[in-house]
Amino acid sequence: MKFTGTKDYVATPELQMAVNAAITLQRPLLIKGEPGTGKTMLAEQLAESLGTNLIQWHIKSTTKAHQGLYEYDAVSRLRDSQLGNDDVHDISNYIKQGKLWEAFTADKPPVLLIDEIDKADIEFPNDLLLELDKMEFFVYETQERIVAKHRPIILITSNNEKELPDAFLRRCFFHYIDFPDKDTMQQIVDVHFPEIKKDLLREAMDVFFDLRKVPGLKKKPSTSELVDWLKLLLADDVDPETLRSRDSAIPPLYGAMVKNEQDVELLQKLAFMTRRKG
């Protein structure tokens, strides 16, 4: 089965090619792109389109690679031994399976999402090289080897907060999700708001893309933020003429797209200068 997107997810031909190539090569697919361009949602929709389970491992700054395999709760075992609990005689009672263990023992190939890998320590990706290559790992406490029943389809996302090691990159198929052009964005919006009025959408899209072009903007609005903004415009029944007039310093309900005070001040200054020139 080839991935071609879903009714809820618009995948460009380039993205479709990348997903299918990674599956064919049995390599992790490393996805980069601006925040809000649908990297995480891709894993959700891929699992749905393939009719398989999605296992999500959300990475934090404190996450260690070993947690993806398993964790041994020595503290609980010590406490139970002091209380005379019979569970202490079976060390497996204190082994907590990680997301890779869950993916390796699944009855059919799942989609495993390792989300925002660049948040972790720089050594995190390298610490997973052997497990991702061999599809197995060893549990020292129980002396058992966990071997994948089926090779999971692995998607790894990154927001480029840190550079990833070359040894890790060599093992991945890479794709960068470009920010959608107007035609692609139109398709994405149509998925979320099939009944939206064309004149409102046209004006909203013009405001959105003009906003992204503003020089010096600290954070450009993303696809997900456009969707949120359109939802608010529809909820408040904002007239297209309100967007067309551009009388206000910044767009109505701007808080869905402009996310820091520096950008608000910048837009207000630009609007003021534009009015003076006008």
Side-chain angles (χ1 to χ4, degrees), residues 184-245:
T184 305
M185 189 67 79
Q186 174 86 49
Q187 297 176 45
I188 293 171
V189 171
D190 286 344
V191 166
H192 293 275
F193 308 105
E195 304 298 326
I196 192 172
K197 294 178 181 178
K198 297 304 179 184
D199 53 349
L200 174 63
L201 177 58
R202 182 173 56 253
E203 297 300 333
M205 293 275 279
D206 286 345
V207 171
F208 174 75
F209 278 97
D210 285 349
L211 186 57
R212 282 186 57 86
K213 293 176 185 175
V214 172
L217 204 64
K218 188 173 182 180
K219 183 195 177 302
K220 295 180 180 180
S222 67
T223 305
S224 62
E225 288 162 334
L226 171 62
V227 171
D228 288 344
W229 187 53
L230 288 172
K231 186 176 181 179
L232 292 174
L233 293 179
L234 291 172
D236 281 21
D237 197 21
V238 175
D239 190 271
E241 188 60 36
T242 303
L243 301 180
R244 189 179 300 118
S245 65

Side-chain angles (χ1 to χ4, degrees), residues 101 104-105 130-131 134-140 142-148:
W101 190 328
F104 285 4
T105 54
L130 180 62
E131 289 75 19
K134 301 297 184 181
M135 287 287 126
E136 64 179 50
F137 62 90
F138 190 72
V139 183
Y140 293 96
T142 60
Q143 295 295 297
E144 61 179 322
R145 186 173 300 279
I146 306 300
V147 181

Side-chain angles (χ1 to χ4, degrees), residues 6 8 12 14 45 54 57 64 70 81 94 117 139 148 155 163-164 172 197 206 214 224 252-253 259 268 275 277-278:
T6 68
D8 297 320
T12 63
E14 294 79 13
Q45 296 302 312
L54 172 65
W57 186 14
K64 302 299 181 185
Y70 68 92
S81 67
Y94 304 94
I117 194 172
V139 183
L155 266 67
E163 288 295 327
L164 299 175
C172 298
K197 294 178 181 178
D206 286 345
V214 172
S224 62
L253 302 165
K259 298 299 178 71
Q268 289 172 336
R275 286 197 297 269
K277 289 178 181 179

Side-chain angles (χ1 to χ4, degrees), residues 34-48:
E34 288 185 30
T37 49
K39 300 187 294 295
T40 302
M41 189 178 182
L42 171 63
E44 299 169 358
Q45 296 302 312
L46 176 60
E48 180 179 320

Side-chain angles (χ1 to χ4, degrees), residues 55 166 176 268:
I55 298 172
D166 289 345
Y176 184 88
Q268 289 172 336

Side-chain angles (χ1 to χ4, degrees), residues 55-69:
I55 298 172
Q56 302 185 60
W57 186 14
H58 298 290
I59 307 304
K60 302 178 181 178
S61 60
T62 56
T63 303
K64 302 299 181 185
H66 196 269
Q67 293 173 305
L69 309 179

